[in-house]
Amino acid sequence: MQRPFLFFCRPGFENDCAAEVQAFANEYNLPGYANTKLNDGYVRFYVLDQTSEEIFFKELDLSELIFARQWFWAKAELTNLDPADRVTPILEAAGQFGLCQNLLVEHLDNDSGRELSKFCKKISTPLTIACEKQGIVQKAKKLKESELQAELQLHILFMANDHCYLGCSLVGKASNLKGGILRLKSPKDAPSRSSLKLDEAIQVLMSKKQSQAIFRLGHTAVDLGAAPGGWTYQLVQRGMQVTAVDNGPMDKKLMATEHVIHLKENALTWLPQKPVQMLVCDMVEKPSLVAQLMTKWLIQAKTEQAIFNLKLPMKKRFQEVSDCIGDMCDQLDEHEINYYWQAKHLYHDREEITVYFRRKMPKLN
Ligand SMILES: C[S@@+](CC[C@H](N)C(=O)[O-])C[C@H]1O[C@@H](n2cnc3c(N)ncnc32)[C@H](O)[C@@H]1O
């Protein structure tokens, strides 16, 4: 059997995901090709020889990919599973991969995949118990973190209730969330649903340490294109004092917190007098224009960090994103600014991706 690497993405973004994975393989000179179908919600990537497969597996890191939410190396495919006993053949196949640290029972985020959500939840517990009993998966609950030695994560992806792919990824290099999806509930008093995008971005793109350092009482932020205030709400919830720039009206309850100053200014030209800790921007503008604006703020040290959306209604989205972020990096390099960046097509994003840039400060002795 051919052993494809499977990459999960938002349905409709298969070509962007494939282009990105292909670029990754090319970077390592690994021969391979992608296979996609529009709206499938995943990409198969075939690496052409065994040595290259192993290198690809070791080098892949989800945090470096923008359009993929999850990945694993599918080493077995089971069809016509008997509804009376699906577990036995799954255990036989999974037993060949080596000891795994945990098991994810997953489905895709397309129409047929979502219908399998209940089935996956139901079968997850018996499968986990059986895998632990057989020594395929470590009994995580009984072990301390230092005792978890296995480096593999076991994935079982159900395509139908009688059809699944089995395989593994490396712990820490794929998502430990089913389908790579962080599900969040919209807070009742959030001014807009778009609030969830920033909540997810903070949790996915920033480490706990980075969030703790930046989200503190008294720290300041600017929200460009803020109305009605979903993103500002997230910053205020995390203790920040926010300047919200937008000609549109802000949510009254949010303004009553007295943690927000609303400026009816043009967000493309306005700059603060004092630098802030965090800049966020969710304006519906050309991606290259937003990237330029963020670069200006970072180069002029008007902010330490920036989280922003690049809206991508165009066809070659991966190309557009590469150009925008490439230009940003070139300009920051020219100004000898050290930085870290990561970008992701988040679960709560639609025709857009979310980008995080952080200026790295030199360490003081
Ligand atoms: C997608 S909405 C932002 C939603 C917001 N993040 C939230 O969570 O509620 C984009 C906003 O950008 C504002 N906007 C677009 N161009 C702007 C500009 N040049 N100056 C100020 N605001 C602008 C619009 O008025 C609109 O309110």
Side-chain angles (χ1 to χ4, degrees):
M1 169 210 165
Q2 278 187 305
R3 306 188 303 170
F5 288 79
L6 303 185
F7 294 85
F8 304 16
C9 63
R10 186 184 182 89
F13 286 74
E14 295 79 9
N15 287 342
D16 308 288
C17 184
E20 185 175 31
V21 175
Q22 185 72 64
F24 180 86
N26 295 349
E27 203 182 305
Y28 284 88
N29 282 322
L30 302 173
Y33 66 94
N35 203 314
T36 61
K37 207 167 117 206
L38 191 65
N39 291 326
D40 260 359
Y42 78 113
V43 169
R44 296 154 196 266
F45 194 83
Y46 296 93
V47 180
L48 296 184
D49 64 76
Q50 216 173 331
T51 316
S52 302
E53 279 182 328
E54 296 292 343
I55 299 172
F56 192 71
F57 180 67
K58 276 200 188 127
E59 297 299 335
L60 268 175
D61 188 340
L62 190 70
S63 69
E64 290 174 20
L65 296 174
I66 299 171
F67 289 96
R69 288 176 180 164
Q70 178 66 297
W71 71 269
F72 72 93
W73 187 3
K75 293 184 169 181
E77 182 179 6
L78 303 177
T79 51
N80 301 318
L81 285 168
D82 179 355
D85 179 18
R86 296 178 177 93
V87 175
T88 306
I90 287 178
L91 290 184
E92 269 170 28
Q96 302 161 26
F97 306 154
L99 181 64
C100 296
Q101 200 178 93
N102 60 316
L103 163 66
L104 291 180
V105 177
E106 305 179 290
H107 59 81
L108 295 170
D109 187 28
N110 57 17
D111 289 342
S112 53
R114 282 189 292 270
E115 279 174 22
L116 290 167
S117 143
K118 266 193 191 159
F119 165 79
C120 287
K121 256 187 208 154
K122 212 169 145 193
I123 201 168
S124 181
T125 308
L127 271 176
T128 306
I129 293 171
C131 283
E132 287 180 354
K133 247 189 183 168
Q134 293 274 314
I136 294 168
V137 170
Q138 280 184 315
K139 286 188 185 166
K141 278 176 201 149
K142 293 198 176 158
L143 293 172
K144 288 184 205 146
E145 204 153 307
S146 57
E147 291 167 335
L148 288 168
Q149 281 154 3
E151 291 182 341
L152 297 174
Q153 175 165 258
L154 177 61
H155 298 252
I156 302 175
L157 170 64
F158 278 95
M159 308 299 279
N161 60 15
D162 66 346
H163 176 197
C164 67
Y165 286 102
L166 293 101
C168 33
S169 63
L170 283 171
V171 170
K173 294 214 170 178
S175 175
N176 59 3
L177 299 171
K178 290 171 189 169
I181 294 176
L182 178 64
R183 290 182 194 275
L184 298 167
K185 266 198 182 155
S186 187
K188 273 192 193 139
D189 50 347
S192 67
R193 263 194 75 77
S194 119
S195 173
L196 290 178
K197 286 191 284 184
L198 186 59
D199 192 6
E200 186 184 358
I202 291 168
Q203 296 193 49
V204 172
L205 301 176
M206 296 176 80
S207 69
K208 277 224 170 91
K209 214 171 141 194
Q210 284 159 8
S211 315
Q212 279 164 359
I214 212 83
F215 297 117
R216 287 201 186 161
L217 266 182
H219 274 188
T220 52
V222 167
D223 184 353
L224 297 178
W231 284 32
T232 297
Y233 171 90
Q234 289 294 337
L235 300 170
V236 168
Q237 286 293 309
R238 289 169 167 83
M240 294 194 116
Q241 204 64 36
V242 184
T243 303
V245 185
D246 201 308
N247 281 317
M250 292 292 286
D251 180 77
K252 284 192 183 129
K253 245 193 198 167
L254 182 60
M255 294 307 296
T257 61
E258 298 190 351
H259 289 287
V260 185
I261 296 170
H262 180 195
L263 299 180
K264 292 190 173 183
E265 298 276 354
N266 181 356
L268 295 173
T269 50
W270 181 84
L271 282 171
Q273 286 189 335
K274 271 190 178 174
V276 294
Q277 273 83 30
M278 175 63 89
L279 168 66
V280 299
C281 174
D282 183 28
M283 274 191 288
V284 185
E285 265 298 349
K286 262 174 72 178
S288 56
L289 199 67
V290 173
Q292 262 176 34
L293 183 63
M294 298 298 108
T295 313
K296 179 173 85 178
W297 276 67
L298 287 162
I299 288 176
Q300 293 189 14
K302 292 292 185 188
T303 187
E304 284 175 26
Q305 330 213 350
I307 294 179
F308 54 97
N309 269 354
L310 296 178
K311 312 284 176 188
L312 303 168
M314 64 289 296
K315 270 191 181 157
K316 292 192 169 177
R317 292 173 286 214
F318 173 60
Q319 190 56 51
E320 181 70 26
V321 168
S322 304
D323 291 348
C324 287
I325 297 181
D327 283 350
M328 282 190 76
C329 294
D330 287 348
Q331 287 187 50
L332 292 170
D333 289 341
E334 265 174 38
H335 285 81
E336 297 183 357
I337 293 169
N338 280 328
Y339 57 90
Y340 163 89
W341 73 270
Q342 200 188 332
K344 203 88 214 157
H345 190 202
L346 298 171
Y347 178 62
H348 295 95
D349 283 336
R350 289 170 190 261
E351 301 274 306
E352 66 211 331
I353 60 151
T354 306
V355 189
Y356 171 55
F357 262 83
R358 174 163 53 88
R359 278 181 70 117
K360 285 205 222 160
M361 302 298 168
K363 279 201 181 122
L364 298 173
N365 290 321

